Amino acid sequence: MFRIFAYYALGAIMYGRLEGWGIMDSIYFMTVTATTVGYGDLSPATRFGKLFSVFYSILGFTVVMAAIAPLLSFLQGSWRERLLESIPLVRRAFVRKVDLSDMCLTIHDVNKQINYPRRYALCLIGPLLVFALVALVAFAVEGFGLLDSAYFSLITMSTIGYGDLSPASKLGKAMAIVYLPLAVVALADAISRVAAVTTRRTLRRRDYAAVADEMLLRNCVRNGRNPDFSLREAEFLVAVLLANDILDSDTLNAIRRQFRNMVRNAEQSDFQNASVPPLTPKMAYAELVERRRVPADMDFDQWYKEEWIPRVQAAPVLPLGSAIEVPNFPLQIINMHSFSVTKSPNNHALNLS
């Protein structure tokens, strides 16, 4: 809250001196600039005003968008589901749900039961309400017609900002300061979420079993042409992530290096037939001792019995991928295997290499 206040306060002072703008026009201009809407109805005319805007606009984007995060969380809240359930006309089409965390369900069961209209509706409810709000303000405050109000709302949310329509009254500018960041972020978030739903839908409906032999063949060839080599779930998972541009190879290698760093103290017996050993309690203990989070005079057996077993018994069951937070010592634990994947030009089949 202090940063957003400081951003607007300093900006209002500087633009007041450099451009002669009032407080309202200065804050309005900073908001239009930070959200990249850029109506063009107000812009710096002096050299120093333009120079100041070059640097301050970058700061404004990060500060304003960070301040709007709590409102964005509200737009993604559970109220959307309650709203769908309260409308009789859409209840039958949009309310049916499936528990995707139940791994007992087969991929065929999920494809039959999952309700994609509901998932798309949940993505769009928030921005649609913001769209209606902006249009209502334009109609009631600025006196735009119905068509112009809808046009202005969409041009604003999409950050196109042609400039043919923009708030002119003090009340309109004051309200724009509030709804501009929310409108821009709401639409961008909705587009991202719709794309994510579409990607998951494609992954669920793609028949990977049809290329199971090819995937296994490539894995056998990569591992010394061993005809008895298997394809692990982790390897399949990473292959699909890479092939669908959900995960890039540089990010994967960064994660793999983190894991290899955690198991760097492994003994030769820990490797067995694997090029990279799994992380074990003994390795975790060695890391804790090295970072002085365990007394040096406490041996592994004592730590295992007195600390590790009680922690395992008391810790809650968290879903895979949950954030790991340790005071002053954040950790991210992921286990990957080494192989490379490229995507075929038709984007329908995996090309493993």
Side-chain angles (χ1 to χ4, degrees):
M1 184 60 69
F2 172 77
R3 285 184 296 178
I4 190 71
F5 175 79
Y7 164 74
Y8 278 122
L10 177 59
I13 294 172
M14 294 299 296
Y15 283 118
R17 292 183 176 181
L18 296 174
E19 300 294 333
W21 295 341
I23 295 178
M24 179 62 70
D25 283 345
S26 297
I27 296 178
Y28 167 74
F29 169 77
M30 286 186 285
T31 305
V32 171
T33 301
T35 56
T36 70
V37 173
Y39 291 126
D41 54 343
L42 194 63
S43 59
T46 66
R47 289 185 176 181
F48 287 109
K50 292 178 180 179
L51 181 61
F52 178 72
S53 297
V54 168
F55 297 99
Y56 213 58
S57 59
I58 299 175
L59 174 64
F61 181 80
T62 57
V63 172
V64 172
M65 291 307 169
I68 206 68
L71 289 178
L72 182 59
S73 298
F74 168 75
L75 289 177
Q76 301 166 356
S78 59
W79 63 269
R80 299 174 301 166
E81 296 189 5
R82 294 195 297 269
L83 179 61
L84 288 179
E85 294 174 358
S86 66
I87 304 176
L89 294 178
V90 299
R91 182 181 302 165
R92 179 174 300 180
F94 289 158
V95 171
R96 179 169 54 86
K97 296 183 285 187
V98 57
D99 183 10
L100 296 179
S101 64
D102 183 4
M103 293 306 294
C104 293
L105 293 175
T106 67
I107 189 63
H108 303 292
D109 294 333
V110 171
N111 284 332
K112 289 179 181 179
Q113 298 179 33
I114 197 166
N115 190 336
Y116 284 106
R118 174 181 175 275
R119 292 178 177 269
Y120 285 119
L122 290 174
C123 294
L124 297 174
I125 285 179
L128 285 175
L129 289 180
V130 175
F131 171 83
L133 174 63
V134 176
L136 178 61
V137 171
F139 178 80
V141 177
E142 297 298 330
F144 297 161
L146 290 176
L147 178 59
D148 281 348
S149 296
Y151 166 80
F152 168 77
S153 182
L154 183 60
I155 295 304
T156 296
M157 294 184 69
S158 59
T159 72
I160 294 174
Y162 289 127
D164 51 344
L165 292 175
S166 60
S169 65
K170 288 186 177 181
L171 178 59
K173 290 181 178 180
M175 299 191 72
I177 293 171
V178 177
Y179 68 65
L180 273 176
L182 181 61
V184 171
V185 173
L187 181 60
D189 179 71
I191 293 174
S192 175
R193 289 179 177 274
V194 167
V197 171
T198 302
T199 298
R200 290 191 289 267
R201 182 178 187 176
T202 301
L203 290 175
R204 292 187 186 106
R205 295 188 174 185
R206 185 169 293 170
D207 187 8
Y208 284 104
V211 294
D213 61 323
E214 185 66 23
M215 297 183 71
L216 181 59
L217 172 65
R218 298 298 176 88
N219 206 39
C220 291
V221 172
R222 279 194 304 271
N223 290 275
R225 299 187 178 276
N226 182 355
D228 295 322
F229 211 87
S230 58
L231 178 68
R232 301 179 182 181
E233 182 183 29
E235 294 170 328
F236 172 74
L237 173 64
V238 175
V240 173
L241 291 176
L242 288 170
N244 288 275
D245 292 330
I246 302 173
L247 177 68
D248 61 84
S249 58
D250 287 342
T251 303
L252 173 62
N253 288 334
I255 297 172
R256 290 178 56 227
R257 288 189 178 95
Q258 287 283 10
F259 184 79
R260 293 192 178 202
N261 182 60
M262 290 192 296
V263 298
R264 67 188 182 280
N265 295 320
E267 298 176 359
Q268 189 63 35
S269 59
D270 295 320
F271 280 77
Q272 297 178 351
N273 296 326
S275 58
V276 180
L279 182 65
T280 64
K282 194 170 185 178
M283 295 181 204
Y285 163 78
E287 192 71 39
L288 293 173
V289 171
E290 183 176 323
R291 297 177 184 273
R292 299 181 179 179
R293 294 179 57 206
V294 169
D297 57 352
M298 177 181 286
D299 61 20
F300 171 73
D301 292 335
Q302 182 182 0
W303 172 83
Y304 184 81
K305 294 178 181 178
E306 297 180 4
E307 293 195 13
W308 181 245
I309 292 179
R311 284 179 61 188
V312 171
Q313 298 295 333
V317 178
L318 298 176
L320 184 65
S322 299
I324 301 174
E325 297 182 0
V326 178
N328 302 320
F329 194 75
L331 293 175
Q332 183 67 39
I333 300 178
I334 300 178
N335 185 9
M336 301 291 182
H337 294 273
S338 94
F339 57 93
S340 61
V341 182
T342 57
K343 188 170 62 175
S344 64
N346 60 18
N347 198 28
H348 291 296
L350 289 178
N351 180 20
L352 307 180
S353 57

